[in-house]
């Protein structure tokens, strides 16, 4: 393999992975902002992995799997993630029991 082929392949790989990372960052920032620490890192890893699978699976299912198709699909995924509106956060208070049997101290009989 010549050096030029390596550079072209690395460029397509960077474009594909960069598009997926950008889309994942947008999705995580807009829809998973309530997470912090390890749950945020794990959710980010899941979103990136799902994005990489989708970027390669969609062109493959359509029968046009190539370096170019994967990079174009990643760019389209980035555009789609950018166009989706942010998730509206709803203030959620502590859950209150809706009645039913409770034990002394307010515990439910199903509480551990």
């Amino acid at each position: 393999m010549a050096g030029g082929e390596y550079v072209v392949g690395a460029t397509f790989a960077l474009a594909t992975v960069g598009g997926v990372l950008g889309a994942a960052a947008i999705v995580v920032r807009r829809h998973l902002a309530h997470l912090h620490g390890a749950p945020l890192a794990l959710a980010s890893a899941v979103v990136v992995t799902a994005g990489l699978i989708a970027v390669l699976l969609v062109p493959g299912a359509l029968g046009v799997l190539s370096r170019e198709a994967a990079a174009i699909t990643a760019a389209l995924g980035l555009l789609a993630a950018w166009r989706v509106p942010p998730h509206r956060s709803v203030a959620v208070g502590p859950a209150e029991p809706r009645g039913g049997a409770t034990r002394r101290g307010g515990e439910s009989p199903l509480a551990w």
Side-chain angles (χ1 to χ4, degrees), residues 3-92:
E5 292 176 2
Y6 177 80
V7 171
V8 170
T11 303
F12 278 113
L14 286 174
T16 302
V17 173
V20 170
L21 288 174
I26 291 170
V27 168
V28 168
R29 187 173 359 113
R30 289 186 181 177
H31 297 284
L32 302 174
H34 62 282
L35 297 176
H36 301 287
L40 177 63
L42 290 173
S44 299
V46 168
V47 173
V48 168
T49 302
L52 284 172
I53 290 170
V55 160
L56 297 171
L57 188 64
V58 170
L62 296 174
V64 291
L65 182 58
S66 66
R67 299 183 297 193
E68 296 84 3
I72 290 169
T73 306
L76 291 175
L78 178 61
L79 180 64
W82 178 65
R83 296 286 299 161
V84 172
H87 180 70
R88 293 186 188 187
S89 61
V90 178
V92 178

